[in-house]
Amino acid sequence: PVIVTNIPPFSEVLRNWKTAVLVPVNRPDCIAKAIVCLANDKVKRRRIGMNAREEVIKHFTIDRVANDYLALYNKLIKSSYE
């Protein structure tokens, strides 16, 4: 699992204690607590890691990302002719 600061874009895509651990900015004590918590809880580490993997597979496959870019390019091209 990843431990990140609770700022955009992380806070927009990650869910705290579901797909990652989000900690407050400038709080090294919170980072340390999250590290210790994950180090001591194999089940929690595995669950967060598996949840994150499922999210990536669900939302960020190469086909999905390519189709999203293609849709964006088509929208931009269409708007440039209007």
Side-chain angles (χ1 to χ4, degrees):
V2 296
I3 301 171
V4 297
T5 51
N6 191 8
I7 58 169
F10 306 126
S11 59
E12 295 167 354
V13 259
L14 301 172
R15 297 183 328 226
N16 197 27
W17 293 104
K18 299 289 183 202
T19 58
V21 179
L22 295 123
V23 296
V25 176
N26 296 323
R27 291 292 305 274
D29 59 311
C30 292
I31 296 170
K33 286 178 186 176
I35 291 169
V36 170
C37 179
L38 291 175
N40 291 328
D41 192 334
K42 182 179 181 177
V43 173
K44 190 174 288 188
R45 276 194 323 267
R46 185 160 177 81
R47 186 181 72 242
I48 293 170
M50 290 181 75
N51 289 342
R53 185 176 191 280
E54 288 173 12
E55 287 292 306
V56 168
I57 289 169
K58 183 177 175 183
H59 297 290
F60 299 101
T61 64
I62 189 68
D63 289 337
R64 171 122 188 222
V65 172
N67 285 332
D68 288 349
Y69 272 111
L70 184 59
L72 174 63
Y73 292 148
N74 285 330
K75 181 179 176 180
L76 292 171
I77 290 168
K78 183 180 177 184
S79 68
S80 70
Y81 287 109
E82 293 177 352

